[in-house]
Amino acid sequence: MLEVGVLASPFSGDKGLTIAETRSHFAAWAIVSSPLTLSHDPSNLTIMDAIWPVLSNRELLAISQAYAGYSGGPFKEAAEGLQLAAADTALARPGASAAELAALPPLRVPAWQYLYKPLEWGGRKAAVLLMNHGKEAAQLTLAFADVPGLGCRACSVRDVWSRKDVGTFNGSVTLGVGSHDCALLVLTHVSPHVARAAA
């Protein structure tokens, strides 16, 4: 279920999502073309005011609706992992005993993970989501050659959250990404003469 705008749940200790986590959660659903069914109370104007910039981002919605042969998915992740919980209860069978729950492995995620979605046929344009699962901000580097099917060594980079062009980069781009936050980028092929001028 899409948890955007859910400030708390009936589960003990669950405080809901921060705005950074809301951005990450919504972007992850959008980049893999999942249905964007909201589960918050739209009559709560405090919540709506907080999450509206995420929900109404037209560039993000266009990424969600685009299709160029692949509906999106992960392509790279950190070797080091983070433990989120002592037990991965998603692996439990219904009605599991306390002993069975105690025997479950911990719930782990990679420290960072990259997802992508082609936006045009022929590898000229793709969306890329850089997710930082860690408790601290991180510098995340995206090598354009790592993005499946992307046909550019020099790419124009657009930040979907700020709705601004970041610039033209050769080979890779490095961005600071906050804790539990993400960078959502659109990469577009740049012709060789433009790339030389930007270098």
Side-chain angles (χ1 to χ4, degrees), residues 167-193:
T168 298
F169 298 85
N170 285 303
S172 67
V173 63
T174 299
L175 299 166
V177 180
S179 169
H180 296 190
D181 208 346
C182 68
L184 181 57
L185 310 172
V186 172
L187 309 177
T188 306
H189 175 78
V190 175
S191 64
H193 70 279

Side-chain angles (χ1 to χ4, degrees), residues 56-101:
S56 64
N57 186 311
R58 291 181 185 267
E59 293 181 35
L60 173 64
L61 297 175
I63 290 168
S64 176
Q65 295 170 359
Y67 183 75
Y70 180 64
S71 58
F75 69 94
K76 189 171 183 178
E77 63 184 36
E80 65 274 12
L82 305 170
Q83 182 172 317
L84 297 183
D88 186 350
T89 55
L91 301 175
R93 67 173 182 78
S97 69
E100 290 172 315
L101 292 174

Side-chain angles (χ1 to χ4, degrees), residues 120-164:
E120 289 182 5
W121 296 95
R124 298 188 57 80
K125 189 174 185 181
V128 177
L129 177 64
L130 312 177
M131 297 181 73
N132 175 15
H133 299 302
K135 293 181 180 179
E136 305 292 332
Q139 292 292 311
L140 299 181
T141 298
L142 171 67
F144 303 143
D146 290 341
V147 181
L150 185 64
C152 60
R153 206 170 74 199
C155 294
S156 171
V157 178
R158 183 166 177 84
D159 180 340
V160 172
W161 294 127
S162 69
R163 299 180 180 118
K164 293 181 180 172

